[in-house]
Amino acid sequence: MNSSYQIGQEQDGKAIWKFLISELKPKGKFLTPFNIISIPIMLLGLVLIVIRFWKGIGAITNLTQEVPWGLWIGFDVVTGVAFAGGAYVLTFMVYILNMHKYHSIVRVTVLNGFLAYVFYAGALLLDLGRPWHVINPIIGNSFGTSSVLFLVAWHFLLYMIAELIEFSPAIAEWLGARKARKILSGMTIAAVIFGITLSTLHQSGLGALYLMAKDKIHPLWYSEFIPVMFFVSSIFAGLSMVIFEGSISHRVFFRQISEKNQQAQHGIVLGLARICAGAMFAYFFLQLLVFIHGQNWHLLNTPMGLWFLLEMLGFVMLPMILFYVSYRTGNIRLVKIAAILAMLGVILNRLNVTVIGFRWEMAIRYVPSWMELVVTLAVIFTEIWISDG
Amino acid sequence: MGLNRRNFFKLLGVSGMTLAVGKTANAASTENATVEFYGILYDSTRCKGCRGCEYDCADAHGFPEPLPAKDIPAIRTTNETCNTVVNRYKTSKGEVFIKRQCMHCNEPACVAACLTQAMHKTKMGPVTWDGDKCMGCRYCMVSCPFDSPKFEFHSPNPKIQKCDMCFERLKTGESPACAFNCPNEALLYGKRRDLLKEARRRIYEKPDVYLDQVYGEHAAGGTGWLYLSPVPFNELGLNNSLQQSSYPALTTGFLYSVPSIFVLVPAFLMGIYQATKNNTPNGKEEDE
Ligand code: SF4
Ligand code: SF4
C-alpha cells in the first residue's frame, strides 16, 4: 500500500477508470436542482450558438470595433485557464517534489484540468470569426511566430497531449496492455515536466497577450509584468479551485480516501491553504512593487482606483490572511471561505485586465449581453456535466 | 530595489536569443532599416474636406457610397464598410480637416499579433490582410494602437477590413486611389524617406502655418502615413501620447524568454526530481 503515490500506479489507475465510469453512468434522481437550472440554460445556449454561426458574432454579443474581445475571452478562456492551474501545481508537488500527501487528489485534478482545457478551447472556437481556419497556425505555411497568441495556441495543444500521456498508463492498463503501460509510465515523468513547463508559459502567455494593448488597459492593471502576475496568481487560483471543488462535490477528497481517516483529508486541505498563503503573499508583494514602480498614486482616489484597492485588499490580502490563519489554527471552514474569496479575486483581476479596465475611458462601455452570459453559463454547465456526472 | 525595469525579461530574453537562431521577430526590425517603404503624406492645411477620397476609396474597394455631408456627424471612425473618413474639427486655428485610415506602421502591432500571418507588412510598405489565412481571432484589433482593423460582426463569414493602401493598384505601378484623385494635392504618395523630406521642407518654408511636428515620423515606431497640421495633433483626435517606439517590441521580451524557459525549467525540474526521488518511504521504484 505504500506505493500508492507512484506514478501510474496500478490501483490508482483502476480506481480512476472505475470512478470515471461510475461518474458517467446516470444515477439516482434526474430532476435535481442542478439539472433543473442547467438543462434549460444549456439548451438555450445551443440555440444561441446556432444563431451565432448563422448571423455572425454581433448577433448575440455586444462586442464592438473598439472592444473586440469580451466575456468569452476574458472569462471563459483567460479566467478559466487560471482556475485549471491546479493541475500543474499539484503534478509539480507530487511528481517532482514527491510530496506524497497530495497523491490521492492529483489524478482527479489533472483530469479536471484536462476537461477544462477541452472546453475552453471549445469556447475559443465560438469566438473565432473564421473558425474553419483554426488549423492554419498548426499545419500550414502560416506560422505567425512573432505572435503571443501563436505561442498560446500551440501550448494549449501540446499541453493537452502532455496531459493525455500523463493519463496514458491508466488508459493502457485499462486496455490491458502491460508492456505499453510500462513504456508509457516511463514517459510520464517526461510528460509531467513538459506539462509543467508549458503551463508556466501559457499561464503567463495569456497575460502577455495584452502587452500590446498598452494604451487601452487602465494603468493600474497594465504593466510589463502582467505575464508574471498571471503566472503567480494561477498558482493560488488553481489550488483554491481544488479546495473549492473538494468542498462542494466531495468526490475529489472523499471518494478515493473515504476509508482513511478524516485527518488525511484535513491535512491535504490545510497543506494547500499554506501554499496558497505563500503564493498570495508573493503575488501581493509583486503587485505592490509594480504599483510603487508605476507611480500611480494619484489614480488611487478615482473610482477605478478604489476598485483596484478593493481587489488588492479585499480579494488578495484578506484571503491571504485567512489562509494563513486557517492553516495556523487548523480551521477547515476558514480555508473554504478563503478559497472562495481568492477565487473571486482572480475572477476580478482577470476581468479587470480584459474587460472592466479595457477601454475604461470610453463613453459607451462594453457590457456583455445576456446572450453572452447564457453561452458562458452553458459552457460551464456542460463542463460540470461531463466532469461531475 | 530588486525590481529593476525589464531586467527580469531581459535576463531571460538574452539567453533566449542565443538559443533561438534566426528569430523572425528580430528579422522584422532589421528589415525596416534596409527596405524602403512607400507611404502617403497628408497635409491638413491643403485639405478642403471635400471627402472625395472617401468616395474613391469606396469605389476602389466595392464599399457602399458614403453618405452626403449633411447626413453624417463631423467626427466619425472608420468601420467595416468604410476604410477611410475625413473628420472636421473646430480647433484653436479654425476648422481643420483630418483624414483617418490605417497608418501602415513600420513595425505593425497587428502583424506581430497575427498568429496566421494573415496580416502582412509587404516589402513596399502597405499592411495587407489575407482572408485565406485569417481565423478571425481579432487579436490584431486588440493590439493595434490606432484601432484600424475592423471586423464584420454581422456576417457568418466575417472579414477584417482596413485600408490596404490600394495594394493591388500599387502592384501595377499606380498610386493609391485617394492620393491619385485628391483635387487639392493634400495627399502625396511616395517613398517614406522622400515624404519626410518634403514635410520638413514645407514646415521650414512656412513655419507660421505648420506645427513643427510630423505625426507618424516617430509615433508607434514610425508609420507609413505622415501628417502635417497647423494645430497640435491631439486637437485633431490623433493620440499624441502613443509610445515613440515599436509596439511589437512590447512582447519580444516575453517571446525571447520562451526558449530559455524551455531549457531552464525542465532542467531545474529534472534536478529536483532526481533529488527527491528517493524520498518515498520505502524507496520503491515503479518497475520493481
Ligand atoms: S495602424 Fe493598426 S492596422 Fe494599421 S498597420 Fe498599424 S497596427 Fe496595423
Ligand atoms: S483576426 Fe485574422 S488578421 Fe487579425 S490577428 Fe486574427 S487571424 Fe490575424
Side-chain angles (χ1 to χ4, degrees):
Chain A
M1 64 157 270
N2 272 339
S3 60
S4 62
Y5 31 73
Q6 293 287 353
I7 301 165
Q9 205 277 334
E10 256 181 71
Q11 275 177 3
D12 182 34
K14 259 182 205 142
I16 292 279
W17 287 104
K18 238 189 259 163
F19 149 77
L20 258 185
I21 289 160
S22 71
E23 287 295 319
L24 290 173
K25 257 191 278 183
K27 53 181 180 283
K29 283 187 304 199
F30 183 69
L31 288 178
T32 60
F34 175 73
N35 289 358
I36 291 171
I37 300 171
S38 67
I39 290 175
I41 290 191
M42 281 155 61
L43 290 177
L44 184 57
L46 202 64
V47 174
L48 291 172
I49 289 169
V50 171
I51 297 176
R52 173 253 168 275
F53 280 106
W54 178 30
K55 296 261 182 179
I57 293 174
I60 68 165
T61 70
N62 278 349
L63 295 175
T64 62
Q65 303 293 355
E66 286 76 30
V67 185
W69 283 358
L71 189 71
W72 289 353
I73 299 288
F75 187 76
D76 303 18
V77 181
V78 177
T79 312
V81 167
F83 284 139
Y88 84 87
V89 181
L90 278 176
T91 52
F92 174 70
M93 284 158 54
V94 172
Y95 296 138
I96 304 295
L97 293 182
N98 262 310
M99 297 163 83
H100 318 305
K101 184 162 117 181
Y102 304 99
H103 190 264
S104 58
I105 58 171
V106 70
R107 284 278 169 137
V108 185
T109 309
V110 171
L111 177 66
N112 277 346
F114 177 71
L115 284 174
Y117 273 87
V118 171
F119 277 86
Y120 306 140
L124 202 63
L125 283 184
L126 295 180
D127 203 68
L128 291 184
R130 308 165 70 84
W132 49 93
H133 284 159
V134 69
I135 47 171
N136 271 356
I138 309 286
I139 50 143
N141 46 355
S142 318
F143 278 7
T145 43
S146 61
S147 167
V148 179
L149 192 57
F150 177 79
L151 192 94
V152 171
W154 263 94
H155 285 186
F156 271 22
L157 189 78
L158 292 175
Y159 185 64
M160 290 206 253
I161 295 172
E163 302 266 274
L164 264 183
I165 294 177
E166 276 174 46
F167 267 109
S168 52
I171 297 172
E173 178 186 314
W174 181 55
L175 297 171
R178 284 205 71 87
K179 220 180 182 158
R181 194 183 80 78
K182 242 185 182 165
I183 299 166
L184 283 169
S185 35
M187 277 171 72
T188 316
I189 188 65
V192 162
I193 287 180
F194 190 51
I196 295 170
T197 312
L198 287 171
S199 292
T200 59
L201 281 170
H202 68 230
Q203 292 288 358
S204 50
L206 283 175
L209 280 181
Y210 286 85
L211 285 176
M212 280 196 283
K214 191 182 176 192
D215 317 287
K216 308 183 184 181
I217 295 172
H218 192 281
L220 285 173
W221 284 275
Y222 181 91
S223 81
E224 58 198 293
F225 294 99
I226 298 183
V228 183
M229 299 296 181
F230 271 41
F231 169 66
V232 178
S233 52
S234 75
I235 296 173
F236 59 82
L239 292 183
S240 298
M241 187 68 178
V242 172
I243 296 170
F244 178 71
E245 278 175 342
S247 70
I248 52 163
S249 79
H250 283 249
R251 72 187 168 82
V252 175
F253 296 122
F254 279 133
R255 190 67 58 85
Q256 297 213 349
I257 52 167
S258 51
E259 328 81 42
K260 298 178 190 163
N261 52 27
Q262 278 254 335
Q263 220 48 45
Q265 188 212 343
H266 284 178
I268 291 176
V269 174
L270 292 176
L272 294 179
R274 194 176 86 171
I275 298 166
C276 282
M280 291 188 92
F281 181 75
Y283 176 70
F284 188 75
F285 190 66
L286 276 173
Q287 286 279 14
L288 194 68
L289 285 184
V290 168
F291 172 73
I292 294 169
H293 183 75
Q295 297 174 331
N296 286 325
W297 292 100
H298 60 287
L299 292 173
L300 280 187
N301 202 12
T302 62
M304 288 304 269
L306 296 177
W307 184 238
F308 177 76
L309 281 180
L310 179 73
E311 179 193 322
M312 288 303 146
L313 300 180
F315 293 95
V316 181
M317 201 168 90
L318 180 64
M320 174 183 89
I321 294 170
L322 291 183
F323 271 130
Y324 180 74
V325 171
S326 60
Y327 163 70
R328 295 308 295 254
T329 58
N331 186 338
I332 299 289
R333 269 185 78 89
L334 205 57
V335 176
K336 288 172 187 167
I337 294 170
I340 290 172
L341 282 178
M343 286 169 67
L344 288 176
V346 171
I347 295 175
L348 259 186
N349 176 261
R350 297 303 191 267
L351 289 183
N352 279 337
V353 172
T354 60
V355 177
I356 300 170
F358 193 86
R359 282 298 154 85
W360 86 103
E361 83 293 359
M362 286 210 321
I364 303 166
R365 299 291 314 269
Y366 158 83
V367 177
S369 69
W370 66 267
M371 292 177 281
E372 283 175 86
L373 277 172
V374 167
V375 171
T376 295
L377 284 176
V379 169
I380 295 172
F381 283 145
T382 319
E383 203 228 314
I384 296 177
W385 257 78
I386 300 281
S387 68
D388 229 28
Chain B
M1 193 174 310
L3 186 84
N4 201 341
R5 200 177 177 78
R6 294 220 173 90
N7 269 2
F8 174 76
F9 284 136
K10 211 179 257 167
L11 191 71
L12 286 170
V14 167
S15 43
M17 273 167 71
T18 52
L19 289 163
V21 197
K23 284 294 284 192
T24 42
N26 206 14
S29 51
T30 46
E31 192 182 47
N32 288 340
T34 51
V35 175
E36 270 233 77
F37 291 140
Y38 281 77
I40 294 176
L41 173 65
Y42 171 80
D43 188 334
S44 63
T45 66
R46 298 188 182 192
C47 176
K48 302 254 184 337
C50 70
R51 295 174 59 231
C53 50
E54 287 187 25
Y55 288 80
D56 300 324
C57 179
D59 203 36
H61 295 90
F63 286 137
E65 183 166 301
L67 295 170
K70 62 175 172 36
D71 295 337
I72 54 168
I75 295 159
R76 294 165 294 152
T77 57
T78 59
N79 60 43
E80 67 274 30
T81 61
C82 137
N83 283 350
T84 186
V85 294
V86 179
N87 285 335
R88 188 177 71 234
Y89 282 89
K90 295 222 186 322
T91 71
S92 46
K93 291 204 175 171
E95 193 168 66
V96 177
F97 296 99
I98 186 145
K99 178 183 182 301
R100 298 298 303 268
Q101 71 296 306
C102 163
M103 301 289 283
H104 299 277
C105 309
N106 290 352
E107 294 179 66
C110 60
V111 173
C114 183
L115 74 170
T116 64
Q117 292 185 336
M119 281 291 179
H120 176 60
K121 178 82 177 164
T122 58
K123 288 233 158 56
M124 276 188 89
V127 174
T128 58
W129 175 82
D130 181 350
D132 289 334
K133 292 183 172 173
C134 173
M135 59 192 233
C137 67
R138 308 191 293 289
Y139 186 33
C140 48
M141 303 170 71
V142 171
S143 303
C144 168
F146 300 98
D147 276 331
S148 300
K150 304 291 172 180
F151 182 75
E152 295 175 347
F153 277 107
H154 291 278
S155 159
N157 181 9
K159 294 197 262 304
I160 294 280
Q161 297 286 3
K162 68 170 199 66
C163 163
D164 60 353
M165 224 195 260
C166 293
F167 188 55
E168 292 305 314
R169 287 171 61 104
L170 301 194
K171 279 197 286 195
T172 64
E174 287 180 273
S175 53
C178 54
F180 182 76
N181 288 312
C182 176
N184 303 309
E185 296 185 334
L187 294 167
L188 182 65
Y189 168 72
K191 287 196 176 123
R192 187 172 182 273
R193 190 193 306 269
D194 299 338
L195 296 177
L196 268 173
K197 269 192 216 137
E198 170 65 13
R200 291 256 160 266
R201 192 185 63 78
R202 289 187 200 176
I203 295 174
Y204 179 75
E205 281 178 2
K206 291 182 190 160
D208 46 329
V209 171
Y210 293 104
L211 180 83
D212 187 12
Q213 184 197 349
V214 184
Y215 191 91
E217 184 176 9
H218 301 298
T223 61
W225 277 77
L226 301 167
Y227 283 79
L228 282 174
S229 151
V231 294
F233 287 97
N234 31 15
E235 284 188 44
L236 299 175
L238 279 169
N239 188 346
N240 223 353
S241 52
L242 291 183
Q243 65 173 28
Q244 305 281 295
S245 51
S246 123
Y247 272 74
L250 292 169
T251 55
T252 45
F254 177 77
L255 289 169
Y256 284 168
S257 70
V258 170
S260 41
I261 286 179
F262 256 113
V263 173
L264 296 177
V265 173
F268 176 67
L269 294 177
M270 205 59 211
I272 305 180
Y273 172 68
Q274 292 298 345
T276 60
K277 184 159 82 173
N278 296 324
N279 279 3
T280 53
N282 55 2
K284 208 173 124 189
E285 291 294 320
E286 217 237 318
D287 304 46
E288 284 170 30

